[in-house]
């Protein structure tokens, strides 16, 4: 009976679908275990073999936990809003919904082929109205909330209004906009409705504000920092500029400290935690005010080194700082405006990364030192960011390398002063940036102090003259939440006299309207401005500004859409109760599943997605909708599977293509080659297929310079990508070798969290292993399995494997499990094992890794139903305890033979048996040894 993976895998995929084998229950006496993958964006390219890596790992754990008796939730869905589908729609005119559904269908087909134990009853798609209805609802809750610092959580905005009505805002301790005007209860109660709304916007957790954004004219939208590479858009490579726009923002900064402290309570890698800490960027210091000369205005600076206040040599503002245009002198106006325009073309990320370029312009303005009253020149420089701190730096060159380089670069220009040294250290070659090991000098009342004492005393002095105070600051900025796109969640908002109002929740969802084109309108409105009608709750509404239609006043709707991270910031909770039509999830389902036990996904989401998800989860917990503070207990970032690219080598005139071994000393250019035209094992180019391939039509008349009659391509490990033509389709592997082979091979490549190259040549070994496993159970005549009692060696091999695989799954070390499977099968084959007591548990322990073959083996062994919930075998130590020892028997230190003896024999008993052995008698040849050395369990040596 032969192993035919095609029939076996198709049979069991059909069985799992029909029997709903992996459907999780929200009401179970079993302990729960929630395994989650970061859900994919369904691109038109489909999956390559790198994509399933994390899914296979999570599936192994999910299946293992089912074997252990857990009620396992292992769902899957699609992050289906996004810019790529919209760009494709702009190019082709095809609706993004159409292409998204086609792409999802392709993904589903590929995912099913690999045999994942997903509960497809809980599938979510962020672009479906029945999903984003709840995203809109969460947005409304954020709008109707404020952050109370006293209770350290979000509360309903009605509680804030109640305080205003009774006390005004003098005692309110809230996260809010800067410089909120104070008012009494009487003044609040006398305010108009519109005045009250404007004030409340300064406190709401989602609010409208003029914000510096990354504007991409080519795409007609705002981009997040992680959507920009080297100053251009990741999608399309369009230039990106910094621009001020009125945008919706999320007050994530309110949660900065909780996001930071929460990292102590979750099982994530230290590298991911550190990424989050750096993004949050907590720093303790002081806020200092520097008055501007001849002005009532002042520059506010946050510094972590107030002890260095007497070392301030100049000040630097971000080019976007609101004061720049106000304080620039007429003589410096042209230079400043040119610099500001140039800076707008560089992204924040690019400016932060560029530590080598020194650039800046003097504004012509001066500030006043808080204590000495000396004039301090004010410059602008692109190394200062408007979104970090206050967008202003008090430059202390003697204590900061970047300030030091800036001061030296512009030395003698526009009144740049000499560097002031306030440390008892030499700064002739470099700044002294340490926080210890110095005494302050040239620092008035701080002379002789160190960092801690100097910081404390300087803050006290600043507070005394009302020009500063101690403060904890965070790098984390409020998140811009508006996008000028079509393919995203519509906001549930409209405007009355320019002030935002939330649409009544009973009308949700606000359905994304149809438009004729997906570009901004002619007057610059977002694409939704092209919509003639909108729909919600089966009601059609014309988008007309303040017009009466059928005696109903219709107000303008919000035309921006939400960003891609809106739907992905809460999706794990929707999986808990995906069919619920009235709530995002019921209280009962949320209480049962709590949060995600294991989350697996790529490290590219180490900051943005994880921070936003944790923020929304904490907010929903504050408002009583989520049961836990943190969404993901344990997080693992899988590494990449890298592609093995292939190259041909083109001569300068493109008339010759040299085989790899003939390129030495020749000026050639490597050209990526599609893997479909090479033999992936021998690396030989199929020349005729290459000539016929549409990508290489330019070379159909080229001369191919061969080595030994063949054209051998070059190979190089790179990121797997369509642009490098090194993508391997998992469908091809499943068709040729089987899904179980693909699953085992991807795990076998190396540790889950490391990057590793794909090599199709290595997959044949794993395929051969499965055939060898099959032959333990079957020969050409059918099932071989017997009910006889296995030998001790058979039990030993099985239990070594149970122990190893159990430990490996618990430690997510899947690659070494595959090695152990191979060792075990080889051992059992050598032992000619066909014993049920060994082969039944073996099928169960391999089931998480190779589920199709395991199901078939289990069925052929005479069992009904699926193997998926059969109890996982338990390791028993007794089978690994050695009862016998094969001793080497040596004569004068030279080993002559071995003898197997029970380990519980005493030394005299061992000596008696050895001395009576015929082989010993032959070696001694009548002689009596001078000494017999016996170490129980180790050696036997006869001397003399």
């Amino acid at each position: 009976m032969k192993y035919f993976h095609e029939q076996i895998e198709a049979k069991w995929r059909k069985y799992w679908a029909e029997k709903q084998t992996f459907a999780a229950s929200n009401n179970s006496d079993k302990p729960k275990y929630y395994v989650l993958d970061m859900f994919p964006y369904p691109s038109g390219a489909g999956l390559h073999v790198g994509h399933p890596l994390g899914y296979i790992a999570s599936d192994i754990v999910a299946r293992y936990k089912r074997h252990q008796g857990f009620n396992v939730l292992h769902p899957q869905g699609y992050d289906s809003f996004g810019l790529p589908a919209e760009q494709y729609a702009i190019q082709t005119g095809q609706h993004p919904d159409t292409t998204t559904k086609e792409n999802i269908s392709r993904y589903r087909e590929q995912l099913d082929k690999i045999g994942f134990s997903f509960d497809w009853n809980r599938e979510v798609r962020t672009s479906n109205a029945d999903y984003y209805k709840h995203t809109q609802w969460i947005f409304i809750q954020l709008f109707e909330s404020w952050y109370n610092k006293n209770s350290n959580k979000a509360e309903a905005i009605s509680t804030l209004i109640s305080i205003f009505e009774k006390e005004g805002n003098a005692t309110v301790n809230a996260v809010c906009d800067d410089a909120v005007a104070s008012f009494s209860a009487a003044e609040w109660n006398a305010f108009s409705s519109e005045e009250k709304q404007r004030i409340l916007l300064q406190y709401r957790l989602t609010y409208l504000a003029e914000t510096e954004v990354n504007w991409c004219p080519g795409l007609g939208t705002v981009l997040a920092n992680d959507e920009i590479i080297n100053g251009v858009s990741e999608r399309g490579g369009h230039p990106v500029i910094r621009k001020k726009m009125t945008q919706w923002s999320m007050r994530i900064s309110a949660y900065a400290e909780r996001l930071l402290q929460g990292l102590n309570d979750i099982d994530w890698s230290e590298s991911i935690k550190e990424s989050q800490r750096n993004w949050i960027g907590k720093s303790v210091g002081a806020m200092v005010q520097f008055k501007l000369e001849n002005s009532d205005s002042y520059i506010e600076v946050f510094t972590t080194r107030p002890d260095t206040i007497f070392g301030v040599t100049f000040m630097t503002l971000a080019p976007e700082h609101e004061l720049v245009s106000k304080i620039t002198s007429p003589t410096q106006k042209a230079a400043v405006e040119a610099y500001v325009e140039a800076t707008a073309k560089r992204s924040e990320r690019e400016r932060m990364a560029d530590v080598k370029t020194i650039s800046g312009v003097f504004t012509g303005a001066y500030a006043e030192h808080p204590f000495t009253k000396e004039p301090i020149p004010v410059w602008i420089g692109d190394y200062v960011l408007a979104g970090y701190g206050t967008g202003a730096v008090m430059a202390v060159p003697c204590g900061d390398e970047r300030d030091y380089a800036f001061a030296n670069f512009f030395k003698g220009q526009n009144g740049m002063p000499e560097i002031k040294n306030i440390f008892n250290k030499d700064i002739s070659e470099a700044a002294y940036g340490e926080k210890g090991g110095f005494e302050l000098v040239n620092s008035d009342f701080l002379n002789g102090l160190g960092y801690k004492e100097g910081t404390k005393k300087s803050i006290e002095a600043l507070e005394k003259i009302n020009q500063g105070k101690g403060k904890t600051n965070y790098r984390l900025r409020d998140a811009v939440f508006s996008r000028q796109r079509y393919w995203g969640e519509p906001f549930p908002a409209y405007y009355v006299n320019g002030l935002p109002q939330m649409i009544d929740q009973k009308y949700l969802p606000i359905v994304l309207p149809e438009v004729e084109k997906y570009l901004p309108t002619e007057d610059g409105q977002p694409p939704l401005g092209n919509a003639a009608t909108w729909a919600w709750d089966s009601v059609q509404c014309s988008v007309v500004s303040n017009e009466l239609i059928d005696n109903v006043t219709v107000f303008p709707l919000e035309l921006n859409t939400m960003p891609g991270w809106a739907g992905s910031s809460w999706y794990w909770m929707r999986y808990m109760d995906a069919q619920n039509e009235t709530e995002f999830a019921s209280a009962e389902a949320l209480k049962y599943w709590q949060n995600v036990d294991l989350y697996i996904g790529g490290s590219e989401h180490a900051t943005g997605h994880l921070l936003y998800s944790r923020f929304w989860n904490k907010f929903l917990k504050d408002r009583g909708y989520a049961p836990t503070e943190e969404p993901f207990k344990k997080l693992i970032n899988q590494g990449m599977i890298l592609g093995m690219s292939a190259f041909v080598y083109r001569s300068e005139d493109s008339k010759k293509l040299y085989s790899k071994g003939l390129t030495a000393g020749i000026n050639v250019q490597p050209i990526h080659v599609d893997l479909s035209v090479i033999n992936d094992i021998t690396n030989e180019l199929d020349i005729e297929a290459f000539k016929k391939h549409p990508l290489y039509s330019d070379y159909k008349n080229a001369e191919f310079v061969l080595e030994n009659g063949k054209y051998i391509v070059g190979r190089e490990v790179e990121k797997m990508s369509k642009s490098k033509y090194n993508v391997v389709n998992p469908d091809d592997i499943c068709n040729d070798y089987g899904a179980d082979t693909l699953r085992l091979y991807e795990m076998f490549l190396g540790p889950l969290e490391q990057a590793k190259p794909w090599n199709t040549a290595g997959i044949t070994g794993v395929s051969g292993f499965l055939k060898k496993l099959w032959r333990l159970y079957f020969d050409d005549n059918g099932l071989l399995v017997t009910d006889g009692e296995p030998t001790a060696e058979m039990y030993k091999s099985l239990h070594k494997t149970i122990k190893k695989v159990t430990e490996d799954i618990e430690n997510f070390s899947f690659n070494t499990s595959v090695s152990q499977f191979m060792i075990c099968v080889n051992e059992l084959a050598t032992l000619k094992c066909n014993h049920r007591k060994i082969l039944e548990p073996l099928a169960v322990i391999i089931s998480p890794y190779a589920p199709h073959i395991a199901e078939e083996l289990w069925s052929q062994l005479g069992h009904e139903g699926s193997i998926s919930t059969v109890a996982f075998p338990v390791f028993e130590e007794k089978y690994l305890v050695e009862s016998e020892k094969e001793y080497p028997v040596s004569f004068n230190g030279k080993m002559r033979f071995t003898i197997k003896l029970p380990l519980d024999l005493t030394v005299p008993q061992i000596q008696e048996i050895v001395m009576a052995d015929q082989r010993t008698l032959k070696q001694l040849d009548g002689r009596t040894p001078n000494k017999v050395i016996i170490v129980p369990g180790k050696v036997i040596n006869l001397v003399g």
Side-chain angles (χ1 to χ4, degrees):
M1 184 174 175
K2 290 187 177 180
Y3 169 55
F4 295 107
H5 66 79
E6 302 97 328
Q7 295 95 316
I8 289 171
E9 292 179 359
K11 168 187 172 181
W12 287 103
R13 286 198 301 271
K14 182 180 178 185
Y15 176 93
W16 295 331
E18 290 176 350
K19 300 293 185 182
Q20 299 285 290
T21 304
F22 308 118
S25 170
N26 282 1
N27 184 15
S28 174
D29 294 332
K30 296 179 179 180
K32 71 95 182 181
Y33 195 85
Y34 186 175
V35 186
L36 183 64
D37 303 292
M38 291 184 185
F39 62 171
Y41 173 80
S43 74
L47 298 171
H48 62 62
V49 292
H51 293 124
L53 179 68
Y55 302 159
I56 295 169
S58 66
D59 198 56
I60 289 170
V61 175
R63 288 176 177 275
Y64 170 71
K65 290 294 182 179
R66 287 192 195 92
H67 284 303
Q68 286 194 313
F70 285 84
N71 179 30
V72 176
L73 175 56
H74 188 208
Q76 186 59 282
Y78 305 95
D79 191 9
S80 49
F81 272 133
L83 190 56
E86 182 165 334
Q87 286 303 110
Y88 188 75
I90 291 169
Q91 293 163 8
T92 65
Q94 196 168 10
H95 198 289
D97 185 58
T98 302
T99 54
T100 297
K101 286 176 178 174
E102 289 173 355
N103 295 344
I104 285 175
S105 177
R106 173 78 179 118
Y107 266 56
R108 175 65 189 271
E109 178 187 356
Q110 290 186 289
L111 290 169
D112 281 345
K113 208 164 205 173
I114 303 172
F116 295 120
S117 61
F118 293 134
D119 181 356
W120 284 112
N121 293 322
R122 298 171 184 257
E123 178 197 297
V124 302
R125 302 180 184 187
T126 59
S127 59
N128 279 7
D130 61 1
Y131 180 87
Y132 66 70
K133 162 185 179 178
H134 303 291
T135 309
Q136 291 171 343
W137 178 84
I138 294 171
F139 178 84
I140 293 172
Q141 307 316 304
L142 284 155
F143 184 79
E144 296 295 344
S145 301
W146 66 293
Y147 200 90
N148 187 341
K149 286 185 177 180
N150 290 337
S151 62
N152 199 27
K153 68 176 187 177
E155 297 179 5
I157 203 76
S158 58
T159 62
L160 182 64
I161 294 171
S162 179
I163 296 171
F164 289 168
E165 289 173 343
K166 296 172 185 175
E167 306 172 18
N169 70 344
T171 61
V172 170
N173 188 15
V175 176
C176 57
D177 291 355
D178 294 331
V180 175
S182 62
F183 52 82
S184 65
E187 288 171 322
W188 169 263
N189 293 322
F191 287 150
S192 68
S193 174
E194 289 187 4
E195 286 175 309
K196 289 178 179 178
Q197 288 180 54
R198 287 193 183 91
I199 291 169
L200 289 173
L201 266 180
Q202 296 178 301
Y203 291 87
R204 295 183 188 276
L205 282 182
T206 186
Y207 61 96
L208 281 172
E210 190 174 63
T211 313
E212 281 278 340
V213 295
N214 300 310
W215 174 250
C216 180
L219 297 176
T221 189
V222 169
L223 297 178
N225 283 334
D226 55 8
E227 295 173 312
I228 304 164
I229 298 175
N230 297 325
V232 298
S233 63
E234 182 180 29
R235 175 67 50 177
H238 301 286
V240 177
I241 62 172
R242 298 290 292 170
K243 177 180 176 180
K244 283 192 174 180
M245 294 178 68
T246 298
Q247 302 280 293
W248 283 103
S249 288
M250 290 279 176
R251 223 179 283 276
I252 187 175
S253 58
Y255 286 83
E257 188 63 26
R258 282 171 63 182
L259 288 168
L260 194 61
Q261 295 305 320
L263 294 172
N264 299 324
D265 304 322
I266 49 183
D267 183 8
W268 294 11
S269 71
E270 193 54 38
S271 63
I272 295 298
K273 287 185 178 183
E274 194 59 27
S275 294
Q276 296 244 312
R277 290 188 191 105
N278 290 338
W279 196 274
I280 296 166
K282 181 178 181 179
S283 49
V284 179
M287 196 67 80
V288 186
Q289 293 179 356
F290 289 81
K291 292 180 179 177
L292 285 160
E293 284 193 341
N294 306 314
S295 171
D296 294 330
S297 299
Y298 56 83
I299 297 172
E300 194 165 47
V301 171
F302 174 78
T303 177
T304 59
R305 296 295 305 274
D307 59 310
T308 66
I309 189 76
F310 286 98
V312 177
T313 302
F314 61 97
M315 303 195 73
T316 315
L317 304 182
E320 308 89 349
H321 196 289
E322 60 182 7
L323 283 175
V324 171
S325 60
K326 299 175 184 176
I327 66 174
T328 299
S329 68
T331 56
Q332 293 297 108
K333 188 173 186 292
V336 167
E337 287 178 351
Y339 187 80
V340 170
E341 183 180 351
T343 303
K345 296 174 183 176
R346 303 183 75 200
S347 70
E348 282 193 357
R349 180 174 291 182
E350 185 182 358
R351 287 160 60 182
M352 289 171 69
D354 185 4
V355 296
K356 295 180 179 179
T357 305
I358 300 172
S359 69
V361 175
F362 179 48
T363 65
Y366 290 85
E368 183 184 83
H369 193 281
F371 298 117
T372 68
K373 308 305 178 184
E374 291 177 317
I376 304 169
V378 180
W379 288 63
I380 58 172
D382 67 1
Y383 75 96
V384 183
L385 303 177
Y388 179 54
T390 64
V393 168
M394 61 172 223
V396 181
C398 67
D400 181 271
E401 280 299 335
R402 201 149 192 178
D403 293 344
Y404 187 89
F406 194 96
N408 280 317
F409 187 84
F410 291 107
K411 187 176 182 180
Q413 298 182 40
N414 295 312
M416 174 65 76
E418 290 289 326
I419 295 174
K420 300 176 182 178
N421 187 11
I422 57 168
F423 304 116
N424 62 337
K425 299 289 179 181
D426 178 24
I427 62 160
S428 60
E429 299 296 328
Y432 184 80
E434 302 298 322
K435 286 187 175 181
F438 68 86
E439 286 186 2
L440 289 166
V441 297
N442 303 319
S443 295
D444 201 296
F445 58 88
L446 300 179
N447 284 339
L449 301 180
Y451 164 68
K452 286 186 178 180
E453 301 88 346
T455 296
K456 181 181 178 183
K457 197 165 183 179
S458 62
I459 292 174
E460 289 173 352
L462 286 165
E463 289 177 346
K464 196 170 185 179
I465 62 173
N466 293 319
Q467 282 194 246
K469 60 182 179 180
K471 184 175 172 59
T472 298
N473 208 30
Y474 300 90
R475 180 182 291 115
L476 184 65
R477 302 290 92 195
D478 286 347
V480 175
F481 199 67
S482 298
R483 297 292 185 269
Q484 293 67 44
R485 299 177 185 164
Y486 171 74
W487 192 233
E489 297 92 337
F491 283 92
Y494 64 99
Y495 292 87
V496 178
N497 296 329
L499 290 168
Q501 315 290 323
M502 293 297 106
I503 289 170
D504 195 304
Q505 296 175 28
K506 68 183 179 183
Y507 294 124
L508 300 182
I510 310 305
V511 179
L512 190 66
E514 296 286 338
V515 295
E516 289 187 8
K517 55 183 179 179
Y518 307 104
L519 291 168
T521 64
E522 291 181 2
D523 61 353
Q525 294 284 355
L528 290 187
N530 293 308
T533 60
W534 291 59
W536 59 85
D537 196 32
S538 303
V539 176
Q540 293 286 328
C541 173
S542 295
V543 185
V544 183
S545 177
N546 296 343
E547 285 192 11
L548 277 174
I549 299 178
D550 297 330
N551 296 316
V552 176
T553 303
V554 181
F555 295 97
L557 294 165
E558 173 62 71
L559 299 180
N560 287 311
T561 52
M562 299 185 199
W565 58 268
S568 63
S569 290
W570 70 278
Y571 75 108
W572 64 94
M573 286 187 273
R574 184 59 178 169
Y575 283 137
M576 297 178 186
D577 198 12
Q579 306 303 322
N580 194 322
E581 295 181 3
T582 57
E583 307 165 277
F584 72 87
S586 69
E588 293 76 19
L590 289 161
K591 182 179 179 182
Y592 178 74
W593 292 110
Q594 294 285 307
N595 55 8
V596 176
D597 295 282
L598 174 65
Y599 196 27
I600 296 183
S603 59
E604 66 270 20
H605 302 294
T607 48
H609 162 62
L610 294 174
L611 276 173
Y612 298 143
S613 298
R614 295 177 62 218
F615 160 42
W616 276 36
N617 199 96
K618 290 175 188 295
F619 165 72
L620 290 168
K621 169 75 160 53
D622 288 352
R623 294 302 313 274
Y625 300 116
T628 62
E629 180 81 2
E630 290 288 340
F632 315 121
K633 287 183 185 177
K634 182 172 182 64
L635 170 70
I636 294 178
N637 292 132
Q638 83 272 12
M640 283 186 182
I641 288 183
L642 303 171
M644 183 69 78
S645 297
F647 299 88
V648 295
Y649 298 91
R650 181 179 70 185
S651 62
E652 287 183 298
D653 60 6
S654 301
K655 292 180 180 179
K656 290 184 179 181
L657 294 174
Y658 290 86
S659 184
K660 171 62 177 172
L662 304 175
T663 58
I666 303 173
N667 190 11
V668 293
Q669 179 185 2
I671 306 294
H672 279 97
V673 178
D674 194 292
L675 297 184
S676 65
V677 297
I678 69 164
N679 184 314
D680 212 20
I681 296 174
T682 65
N683 296 327
E684 183 179 353
L685 179 73
D686 184 333
I687 294 174
E688 291 307 312
F690 176 82
K691 288 179 179 179
K692 293 175 183 177
H693 197 290
L695 286 171
Y696 310 114
S697 58
D698 290 348
Y699 305 107
K700 61 185 178 183
N701 296 319
E703 178 186 346
F704 289 79
V705 184
L706 311 179
E707 50 184 315
N708 300 321
K710 298 177 181 179
Y711 190 104
I712 305 300
V713 298
R715 303 305 296 264
E716 185 177 323
V717 175
E718 298 182 290
K719 180 180 179 180
M720 198 170 279
S721 164
K722 279 199 308 178
S723 65
K724 301 180 189 303
Y725 308 111
N726 62 0
V727 168
V728 177
N729 190 327
D731 297 6
D732 295 338
I733 303 299
C734 290
N735 292 336
D736 294 344
Y737 301 98
D740 286 341
T741 298
L742 174 68
R743 292 168 64 106
L744 284 165
Y745 184 59
E746 293 219 1
M747 294 298 97
F748 187 55
L749 283 172
L752 177 63
E753 294 169 88
Q754 291 182 12
K756 46 260 177 187
W758 176 271
N759 183 357
T760 302
I763 206 165
T764 55
V766 175
S767 177
F769 155 72
L770 285 175
K771 292 172 183 174
K772 186 176 283 190
L773 170 70
W774 184 262
R775 287 196 295 272
L776 288 178
Y777 297 77
F778 302 97
D779 63 11
D780 292 342
N781 298 313
L783 193 68
L784 285 171
V785 179
T786 68
D787 292 326
E789 182 64 23
T791 65
E793 286 300 309
M794 294 174 187
Y795 276 121
K796 179 181 178 182
S797 183
L798 173 68
H799 281 269
K800 274 194 308 183
T801 305
I802 294 171
K803 182 175 188 291
K804 178 66 175 157
V805 173
T806 301
E807 290 172 351
D808 283 349
I809 296 177
E810 296 284 0
N811 294 318
F812 310 100
S813 301
F814 308 109
N815 57 311
T816 50
S817 280
V818 181
S819 300
Q820 182 58 39
F821 287 138
M822 293 175 174
I823 292 168
C824 178
V825 168
N826 283 336
E827 288 176 348
L828 294 178
T830 301
L831 295 168
K832 301 190 183 319
C833 175
N834 56 9
H835 299 71
R836 182 178 293 274
K837 289 183 180 179
I838 301 297
L839 298 184
E840 279 195 350
L842 179 62
V844 177
I845 59 176
I846 204 168
S847 172
Y849 290 79
H852 305 90
I853 193 172
E855 290 276 22
E856 185 64 18
L857 293 173
W858 190 250
S859 175
Q860 292 289 338
L861 287 167
H863 299 288
E864 296 289 332
S866 171
I867 197 175
S868 61
T869 55
V870 175
F872 203 78
V874 177
F875 164 68
E876 295 184 53
E877 181 72 39
K878 66 181 181 182
Y879 291 112
L880 267 58
V881 174
E882 300 283 354
S883 59
E884 292 183 316
K885 168 69 180 178
E886 192 164 19
Y887 285 90
V889 181
S890 300
F891 294 82
N892 295 320
K894 293 184 178 181
M895 200 273 283
R896 297 300 182 185
F897 64 86
T898 62
I899 185 170
K900 189 175 285 188
L901 298 172
L903 279 169
D904 57 357
L905 293 179
T906 63
V907 170
Q909 289 172 327
I910 293 171
Q911 182 169 333
E912 182 181 350
I913 293 169
V914 169
M915 294 302 294
D917 192 285
Q918 289 298 317
R919 292 169 293 181
T920 303
L921 297 174
K922 184 178 178 181
Q923 286 289 331
L924 292 174
D925 193 24
R927 289 175 284 108
T928 301
N930 296 328
K931 186 186 293 185
V932 178
I933 301 169
I934 296 173
V935 180
K938 293 186 177 180
V939 296
I940 300 170
N941 188 21
L942 285 72
V943 180

